[in-house]
Amino acid sequence: MNFLSRPDQYKRALDISKRVVDIKRKLGLLDTLGTDIYRALYCEIPIVLHDLVFGGCLRSLASDEQLAQWLPNVVNYRWLGSYAQTELGHGSNVQGLETTIHYIVCTFIKETDEFEINSPTLTSSKYWVGALGKLCTHAIVFGQLMLADPKTGKVRSYGPHPVLVQVRSLEDHMPLKGIVVGDIGPKFGYNTIDNGFMQMDHIRVPRTNLLSRFFSVTRDGVYVPPPHPRLVYAGMVGVRVHLIEESFTALARATTIATRYSVIRRQFTDGPNGSLVERKVMDYGNQQNRIIPGIAASYAFLFMGRRLGIAFYSMMDVIKRNGDTSSMAELHALSSGLKSTVSYITARGIEDARYACGGHGYSEASGLPRLYSSYTHIITAEGENNILPQQTARILLKIYKDAVLNNTAVPAGPTTKYIVQELACPHTTLAQYMAEHGGNLVSIPNLVKLYRHRAFSQVANMARLLQEDPDVPMMERWRQLNVEAQRLSDAHCQLYILESFVTSLASAPADSLAALTRLCQVYALTHIDRSLADFLEDSYLDRSDIEVVRKGLRSLFAQLRPDLVGLVDSFNIADHTLASAIGRYDGQVYEAMLQYSLKQPFNSKPVVDGYEEFIRPLLKSSL
Amino acid sequence: MNFLSRPDQYKRALDISKRVVDIKRKLGLLDTLGTDIYRALYCEIPIVLHDLVFGGCLRSLASDEQLAQWLPNVVNYRWLGSYAQTELGHGSNVQGLETTIHYIVCTFIKETDEFEINSPTLTSSKYWVGALGKLCTHAIVFGQLMLADPKTGKVRSYGPHPVLVQVRSLEDHMPLKGIVVGDIGPKFGYNTIDNGFMQMDHIRVPRTNLLSRFFSVTRDGVYVPPPHPRLVYAGMVGVRVHLIEESFTALARATTIATRYSVIRRQFTDGPNGSLVERKVMDYGNQQNRIIPGIAASYAFLFMGRRLGIAFYSMMDVIKRNGDTSSMAELHALSSGLKSTVSYITARGIEDARYACGGHGYSEASGLPRLYSSYTHIITAEGENNILPQQTARILLKIYKDAVLNNTAVPAGPTTKYIVQELACPHTTLAQYMAEHGGNLVSIPNLVKLYRHRAFSQVANMARLLQEDPDVPMMERWRQLNVEAQRLSDAHCQLYILESFVTSLASAPADSLAALTRLCQVYALTHIDRSLADFLEDSYLDRSDIEVVRKGLRSLFAQLRPDLVGLVDSFNIADHTLASAIGRYDGQVYEAMLQYSLKQPFNSKPVVDGYEEFIRPLLKSSL
Ligand SMILES: Cc1cc2nc3c(=O)[nH]c(=O)nc-3n(C[C@H](O)[C@H](O)[C@H](O)COP(=O)(O)OP(=O)(O)OC[C@H]3O[C@@H](n4cnc5c(N)ncnc54)[C@H](O)[C@@H]3O)c2cc1C
Ligand SMILES: Cc1cc2nc3c(=O)[nH]c(=O)nc-3n(C[C@H](O)[C@H](O)[C@H](O)COP(=O)(O)OP(=O)(O)OC[C@H]3O[C@@H](n4cnc5c(N)ncnc54)[C@H](O)[C@@H]3O)c2cc1C
């Protein structure tokens, strides 16, 4: 794959896509998402977007009738779909407001009972849409729903809404009339996916193509709103849950490669009086510091992802059953913030793993560059990482304000009730808490307490900061403080992650409990170390604890050292999935590297193309 | 370039290489390094390694006679060279010690007055060598110098030494007999450079090919050692100085793109009661936080790089003139640590800039992915970032130990004398210092004082940590503590960077002094914020200062907001150098993005290659 041109890489991805479907069909798995199969592949394939994003969004947003009609086409791949929300000029601001004239419009035409979809401007071209560029036959297109106001008769926007649109012919795959569509071009990574652009010139679709489980437009053109406005984007929440699983996958791969290589790679002896054999690089403290936090985070995200998945699917069940959206705000806060927290940590963890492999980590042969460049789109896509946490912060601040400032009793949910509880906590330092409850700074219950207190104090702090400068308009204060909003969202999400890890320890097999407990402590201490100021700011930790945290990490690293290979082997990632010359299970690193170099097509001739034209004239020019 | 296969990219780079030489020749610049020309190019070209690394190393290490003979071939490009140090199995441990059997060997053959160079094992294949894969005719090969011990007659290693070796024919560019050479394969970035591998089968070169300005082997095979053992690697220090300039270049490009795009890109209005026009994303606090520290660091590295360059070249002059190596340790400490500190900050700054451009930052059309993936090799190459700072730490600890613990008078150099001075400082908190000297936490002199104190306290702290656990062997303690060694090296280097920035303010033009002063404060405060614990640990700052630091940053960001475009425009980077659809000087971002997508070759056919083979069977399979 590393030696192919982009079009050939894409063709290979189509080949793999077809095989995956064949396998799913053979195994009778057509109506499942097939995430396990995708996870076993070396690269991303466009059909993933059909299954997870297009299919997932339909399942969330299409009505039962629509599903009865459409789903057979989806699960049998008679249609191939994409999710077309972003536009060239607009991504994050999906709500888009009526004020923007850029957003694609979707106008109801009463006479024919149709919507007319149109991109009036350059910037309203759809852009970045995965699997749109070359593959899909259908797309869920978000457009500003334009309806005549029942009272005034004036046409106005009801905000972006999802409509099913056919993009290409089912006969010859040509784009339908009025549609200009193509691939946007090479990207940092993710190049086996055809992110696409699309311009639509007055395309018509039946009114019933509006995805209408939660909202709809009547035959008369009257809008029937959803029980909760956010339900328009419910498809995205599901995808976010999936991205967290993806994060586990990517980080587990990267740490597997780095760990295996680090017990093969040797550099330096202990000097004249030490051993003559060089040390495995895994023995160095900074190497452990590059790798072990990544292993810990992989496990953390695995456990947390499961918990979040369960919470999400049961929430969707409840909403579909009885329209009860009471847990939406809490879960929205969580999934938004987590997507940001988790993807930043994962991206860093992959890069740390890559750096840990020295020069060879920079070669595509290691598999690590591609892991990073493909993964890192997750920081931007599906809600930009600096924007999502603001939503988390807003929801938490509201709970804090209701509970604490306004003293209104709030039915705080399971993941936010700590805000109310911590307020009642009598201890102002961890030392006081430990005096009562025992343990030391690295004991799990105290770590959880620390995280809980920090999350609480960050909300309180942000609430206070927002009160300052009452002369400055609130929106401006918010803009200035949105770095702080991220801090607060992170603190909230880290508590959820840590609690999920701790809960999972209860069901860990006896023989791995000790190692997993240490990893859990590493996770907690690493992220204390990375945000020490949060913990010191209100003296909940003492400055002398800084050294305790770092000593704790060093000693956990040393204790975990013998278990590291076992811990990554448990991820059970096949060699063909890793596709890494240096992460091989058998450790034949150097043979594999050299073979890779020798065999690449670029070396097929002894003298390079361009010699006659450019090198020879150079060497001879001054003779 | 983004649409080409790797071999075609490389060919393009050869084309550019030849043009650069033609231009240099025309302008009479053949005997200069031509760094300014390289800086104006969009991509890396292999000839850079000839000029900077091969040429630079010869100038440092070859004797006057050798230079008289060789240099004309080098500056006229009759030879093309590379620097071949790293091997498949060994990179960082260049000293390599006699204990390793892996390193390539270079044995003196008295009979013929030659060295015989041989790679006996798989892992002793040279690997990663830039411009070796396809371009070079010559290489400076590091091999273990094997000489018969004058006393015992037993052949032993004198450690790796550099020898000039011809690799390819000057007639037809074929590899010479006994040499297997090729490109190592695709990499994360830097793909227009042919990093290569090479195996050598008993190659002979004259004894006089040993680079012998500082060391040599006599006709009798007796080793004449250098005045300082590090001089063997003097070539690398020069390259490190160059890498710091490169860091400025890369970060300045990235922040130029992000800044320009952020004043074009708009997202969100202030809500129902606010303006109807969406805000420029540059107005958001977290956007400023992603970009302004990068602009500040660009300026910091520019100023610091100049100061370091002067120090390096005047040191080399002195050594060449009178063999006085007294300033080597200090400059070695500095350049090693700086390479690590600067490259980590630069890599982060480029990624922050890329993230700041949202989705479009992920497209190769933005120019940002390539900037990051090519730049980031600097974290690994020329001394791995986690290893170099250990050398810095060792040197500083020795000074501390001599001065403080052993109370021996040391002639501390200009960049390390603070260690002795701080010890005598009567103030134990910044508050005390300010009470005497005035100003507040964000005043420049107080920031410098803070940095100086922090650097001192990190050395002291590390010295203390190393004394603990006297039962554990020193080497093991060192391995466990090498994360702390990095912290100490960083603290030292950050002081140097900040002082360089402050010194340069004195000669800043009046109309830019205010903005540059603010940038200098941003630089200082950003890196306090990122390592707050260092400053809080010994109470030199108070926990209440955390908020002061962050408020200071917010207010500086707001003050700098109107100057940002001007500050990046001053970098004066041409559009063809940026090669970014979204960083264009004229701001025609969306037109350029869409044109790029429309015109890429992958879109030349309306139906994708692979449709008949893979997509059609899929769509039709269940009919
Ligand atoms: C690989 C990839 C795949 C994708 N796949 C799809 C797909 O299948 N379908 C689809 O519809 N879209 C897709 N997208 C688009 C993606 O969803 C958007 O790029 C993403 O939502 C970010 O939006 P943006 O690009 O408009 O960034 P912008 O919002 O323009 O961000 C630019 C900068 O402004 C900042 N900013 C913006 N608003 C604020 C604010 N209010 N407060 C603070 N800071 C702010 C951001 O933090 C960022 O730093 C994909 C993108 C990528 C990279
Ligand atoms: C793009 C690129 C261009 C290059 N160009 C050239 C060139 O032109 N010529 C040339 O000769 N070489 C070149 N190199 C090779 C480069 O110099 C080496 O890769 C680099 O020095 C790192 O060495 P390594 O790969 O052996 O890493 P390793 O030392 O094997 O590092 C692996 C890991 O072990 C850790 N580690 C190793 N030893 C210690 C220790 N003592 N303490 C703590 N941690 C330790 C490292 O921190 C790292 O995390 C290039 C490399 C790259 C990526």
Side-chain angles (χ1 to χ4, degrees), chain A residues 379-396:
Chain A
I379 288 186
T380 304
E382 292 298 331
E384 208 285 316
N385 259 18
N386 279 6
I387 300 178
L388 287 180
Q390 296 182 46
Q391 307 189 12
T392 309
R394 280 207 185 85
I395 294 170
L396 298 175

Side-chain angles (χ1 to χ4, degrees), chain A residues 90 93 278 351 362 372-373, chain B residues 90 93 278 351 362 372-373:
Chain A
H90 276 93
N93 185 12
E278 288 182 296
E351 274 301 67
Y362 194 73
Y372 179 74
S373 60
Chain B
H90 276 92
N93 186 13
E278 289 182 295
E351 274 302 69
Y362 193 73
Y372 179 73
S373 59

Side-chain angles (χ1 to χ4, degrees), chain B residues 47-81:
Chain B
I47 205 125
V48 169
L49 293 155
H50 167 82
D51 280 336
L52 297 179
V53 187
F54 179 71
C57 180
L58 284 183
R59 284 187 177 84
S60 297
L61 295 183
S63 67
D64 286 337
E65 284 149 60
Q66 289 175 325
L67 284 178
Q69 206 188 328
W70 296 342
L71 215 50
N73 295 316
V74 176
V75 300
N76 286 298
Y77 302 93
R78 287 192 291 259
W79 293 355
L80 296 171

Side-chain angles (χ1 to χ4, degrees), chain A residues 49 83-86 90-92 127-130 187 190 195 377 380-384 386-387 390 482, chain B residues 261 265 267-268 281 284 286-287 290 355-360 362:
Chain A
L49 292 155
Y83 179 88
Q85 183 175 296
T86 306
H90 276 93
S92 301
Y127 207 88
W128 275 113
V129 178
K187 299 163 299 234
Y190 213 57
N195 289 87
H377 84 274
T380 304
E382 292 298 331
E384 208 285 316
N386 279 6
I387 300 178
Q390 296 182 46
N482 53 32
Chain B
Y261 179 61
R265 185 71 166 179
Q267 296 277 8
F268 300 97
V281 295
Y284 295 103
N286 49 7
Q287 188 76 352
R290 268 179 169 165
Y355 292 144
C357 299
H360 298 337
Y362 193 73

Side-chain angles (χ1 to χ4, degrees), chain B residues 499-515:
Chain B
E499 283 179 341
S500 310
F501 204 148
V502 172
T503 310
S504 299
L505 290 178
S507 52
D511 59 352
S512 54
L513 182 62

Side-chain angles (χ1 to χ4, degrees), chain A residues 261-262 265-268 281 284-287 290 355-360 362, chain B residues 49 53 83-87 89-93 127-131 187 190 195 236 377 380-387 390 479 482:
Chain A
Y261 179 62
S262 295
R265 185 71 167 177
R266 293 172 178 273
Q267 297 277 8
F268 301 97
V281 293
Y284 295 103
N286 49 7
Q287 187 75 353
R290 268 180 170 165
Y355 291 145
C357 299
H360 298 337
Y362 194 73
Chain B
L49 293 155
V53 187
Y83 180 88
Q85 182 174 297
T86 306
E87 300 182 352
H90 276 92
S92 301
N93 186 13
Y127 207 88
W128 275 113
V129 178
K187 299 163 299 236
Y190 214 57
N195 289 88
M236 283 180 82
H377 84 274
T380 303
E382 292 298 330
E384 208 286 316
N385 260 17
N386 279 6
I387 301 178
Q390 296 182 45
R479 275 199 301 280
N482 51 33

Side-chain angles (χ1 to χ4, degrees), chain A residues 572-609:
Chain A
N572 202 13
I573 305 169
D575 272 355
H576 68 84
T577 305
L578 283 183
S580 169
I582 66 173
R584 300 157 59 99
Y585 188 74
D586 69 6
Q588 300 298 306
V589 166
Y590 299 117
E591 292 78 356
M593 282 297 287
L594 201 64
Q595 281 312 309
Y596 175 93
S597 299
L598 284 166
K599 285 196 183 145
Q600 66 152 335
F602 192 29
N603 285 331
S604 58
K605 300 178 206 159
V607 173
V608 70
D609 275 354

